[in-house]
């Protein structure tokens, strides 16, 4: 494979030919359609962009697409449950192509319980499994541990010049679609009935995945003057709010390795997180910003401490910044490339 890079110096154009070894074709399967803001689509697009510079030709397919054409050198399927039919179809069509299945939070913490036969059939078919946080073995049957590898999702640093002005409110950011797994209104509940001198405010970004959730968020905003729901927002707007906020709340009941945690760490934004495996697997066991999942009183105490205890806030910031190198794009590319190379060589 030959790539041409065009370098422009003033009025002079220089062409440089870069040789990249062709490593093979990867068929990347995702349940999320183009244009979707779902995490699976974002992961598919980002991984394609990371793998192509390594010399792989990556084609992205929807889960419902029938396998056609020449066999790929490797099949990479996102979501064991949602892509289950595709996993089996691609495996039957191309039995000699290695298969890697990526586990999401709903695979492990919802569908493994409600539909274990479907999830385990996908895991059994796979030659390797990829998880997105370091504590996945706590919730996965031991027979799958030898197949399991970890890739931390990456994030880009915030651009220079993101506003950090002194604000009348101490904004706490919640980012993610409103749904049961995220315990999405927990932060809003935590700032009800605060002392009058508190400047805390919760700003929530993310679309509601049902009418019930939309109605609940709208009702909360009407009743709770410390809560704003801004709905679904483009990524640049979420990153802008990361630069403005004092901290972020990750209140999930279950989590497979949220990319928003990576983004907050790289941005140096302190996190208050529910004490669950999916958060501990990204932030580390010694992180001091955990609260018991679902405990509104404990979360309220953490948020008041964010506002009133600058030493503790700086400690949280230092801890997330210490984790940031794990979430650099080059680290994600290196981990992903190593796994694929190992599977192909085997």
């Amino acid at each position: 494979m030959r790539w041409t890079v065009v370098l422009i110096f003033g009025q002079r154009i220089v062409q440089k030919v870069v040789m990249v070894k062709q490593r093979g074709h990867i068929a990347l399967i995702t349940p999320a359609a183009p244009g979707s803001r779902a995490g699976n689509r974002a992961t598919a697009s980002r991984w394609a962009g990371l793998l192509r510079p390594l010399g792989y030709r990556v084609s992205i397919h929807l889960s419902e697409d029938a396998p056609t054409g020449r066999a790929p050198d490797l099949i990479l399927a996102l979501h064991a449950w949602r892509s289950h039919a595709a996993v089996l179809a691609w495996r039957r069509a191309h039995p000699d192509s290695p298969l890697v299945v990526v586990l999401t939070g709903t695979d492990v913490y919802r569908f493994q319980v409600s539909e274990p036969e479907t999830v385990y059939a996908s895991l059994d078919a796979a030659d390797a499994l990829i998880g997105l946080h370091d504590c996945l073995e706590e919730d996965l049957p031991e027979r799958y541990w030898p197949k399991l590898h970890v890739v931390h999702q990456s994030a880009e640093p915030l651009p220079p010049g993101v506003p950090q002005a002194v604000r009348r409110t101490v904004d706490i950011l919640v980012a993610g679609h409103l749904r049961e797994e995220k315990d999405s209104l927990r932060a809003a509940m935590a700032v009800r009935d605060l002392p009058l001198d508190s400047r805390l405010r919760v700003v929530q970004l993310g679309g509601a995945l049902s009418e019930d959730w939309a109605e609940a968020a709208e009702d909360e905003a009407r009743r709770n003057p410390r809560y704003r729901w801004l709905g679904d927002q483009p990524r640049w707007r979420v990153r802008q709010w990361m630069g403005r906020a004092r901290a972020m709340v990750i209140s999930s009941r279950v989590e497979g390795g949220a990319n928003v945690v990576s983004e907050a760490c790289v941005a140096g934004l302190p996190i208050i997180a529910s004490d669950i495996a999916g958060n501990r697997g990204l932030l580390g066991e010694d992180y001091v910003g955990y609260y018991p999942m679902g405990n509104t009183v404990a979360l309220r105490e953490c948020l008041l401490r964010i506002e009133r205890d600058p030493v503790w806030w700086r400690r949280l910031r230092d801890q997330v910044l210490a984790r940031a190198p794990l979430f650099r794009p080059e680290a994600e590319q290196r981990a992903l490339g190593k796994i694929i190379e190992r599977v192909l060589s085997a």
Side-chain angles (χ1 to χ4, degrees):
M1 176 184 292
R2 186 176 72 177
W3 289 4
T4 301
V5 179
V6 179
L7 307 176
I8 302 176
F9 300 95
Q11 300 299 315
R12 187 161 58 93
I13 297 178
V14 178
Q15 287 191 341
K16 181 179 180 181
V17 176
V18 180
M19 302 302 294
V20 179
K21 180 182 178 182
Q22 180 64 57
R23 295 176 179 267
H25 171 212
I26 296 175
L28 201 164
I29 301 165
T30 175
S36 168
R37 288 183 184 164
N40 287 320
R41 191 72 200 186
T43 301
S45 299
R46 189 177 66 255
W47 282 9
L50 292 174
L51 289 169
R52 285 169 182 148
L54 297 180
Y56 295 104
R57 182 168 66 88
V58 183
S59 57
I60 299 179
H61 307 265
L62 292 180
S63 298
E64 60 263 30
D65 293 344
T68 59
R70 185 176 176 182
D73 294 283
L74 182 136
I75 304 161
L76 180 59
L78 302 179
H79 212 298
W81 184 82
R82 296 190 192 282
S83 295
H84 169 69
V87 165
L88 299 188
W90 282 78
R91 184 53 122 182
R92 284 193 299 267
H94 307 300
D96 295 328
S97 298
L99 169 67
V100 179
V101 172
V102 183
L103 290 160
T104 68
T106 49
D107 282 329
V108 177
Y109 302 109
R110 184 205 291 181
F111 296 120
Q112 183 182 207
V113 176
S114 64
E115 300 187 45
E117 291 183 2
T118 301
V119 172
Y120 295 152
S122 292
L123 305 193
D124 290 335
D127 296 289
L129 305 173
I130 291 179
L132 303 177
H133 69 79
D134 293 330
C135 294
L136 204 57
E137 289 181 352
E138 293 181 17
D139 301 293
L140 203 62
E142 188 173 354
R143 67 181 183 274
Y144 296 117
W145 294 0
K147 290 185 179 183
L148 183 62
H149 308 268
V150 174
V151 174
H152 296 120
Q153 298 187 89
S154 66
E156 297 286 349
L158 294 181
V162 172
Q164 295 281 355
V166 175
R167 304 173 65 84
R168 289 179 298 173
T169 54
V170 176
D171 287 338
I172 305 299
L173 182 63
V174 180
H177 295 309
L178 278 65
R179 55 191 173 116
E180 185 67 25
E181 290 86 355
K182 301 292 185 181
D183 197 12
S184 295
L185 293 178
R186 187 62 55 188
M189 295 163 62
V191 295
R192 295 173 183 170
D193 304 320
L194 290 180
L196 291 178
D197 64 344
S198 173
R199 296 187 297 125
L200 283 170
R201 179 179 69 164
V202 169
V203 177
Q204 183 142 24
L205 312 180
L209 295 190
S210 71
E211 284 298 323
D212 288 344
W213 273 108
E215 291 174 6
E218 290 166 356
D219 183 64
E220 183 70 29
R222 282 192 298 269
R223 296 169 179 267
N224 186 348
R226 296 182 183 273
Y227 173 68
R228 291 182 66 195
W229 176 44
L230 302 184
D232 200 13
Q233 298 288 322
R235 186 168 179 269
W236 68 267
R237 178 70 74 181
V238 176
R239 286 164 60 80
Q240 188 177 68
W241 272 104
M242 283 186 174
R244 295 174 176 175
R246 184 67 169 169
M248 172 178 278
V249 168
I250 309 292
S251 54
S252 303
R253 299 179 186 278
V254 296
E255 196 59 75
N259 197 202
V260 72
V261 174
S262 309
E263 292 182 315
C265 288
V266 172
L269 179 63
I271 297 169
I272 303 299
S274 54
D275 189 0
I276 60 172
N279 288 332
R280 285 186 280 106
L282 293 180
L283 293 168
E285 297 290 348
D286 61 345
Y287 188 66
V288 298
Y290 296 122
Y291 74 96
M293 186 268 293
N295 189 322
T296 306
V297 173
L299 177 55
R300 178 183 293 119
E301 291 173 355
C302 288
L303 296 182
L304 286 170
R305 194 172 181 186
I306 284 285
E307 180 182 24
R308 297 173 176 179
D309 187 344
V311 173
W312 192 65
W313 179 85
R314 283 192 292 270
R315 184 179 179 190
L316 292 175
R317 185 189 58 184
D318 290 344
Q319 284 193 303
V320 298
L321 286 172
R323 302 293 288 182
L326 295 175
F327 309 122
R328 298 294 188 190
E330 57 269 23
E332 185 179 29
Q333 183 185 52
R334 185 166 54 249
L336 188 59
K338 184 182 296 184
I339 293 165
I340 289 173
E341 187 174 330
R342 184 180 302 172
V343 173
L344 286 173
S345 64

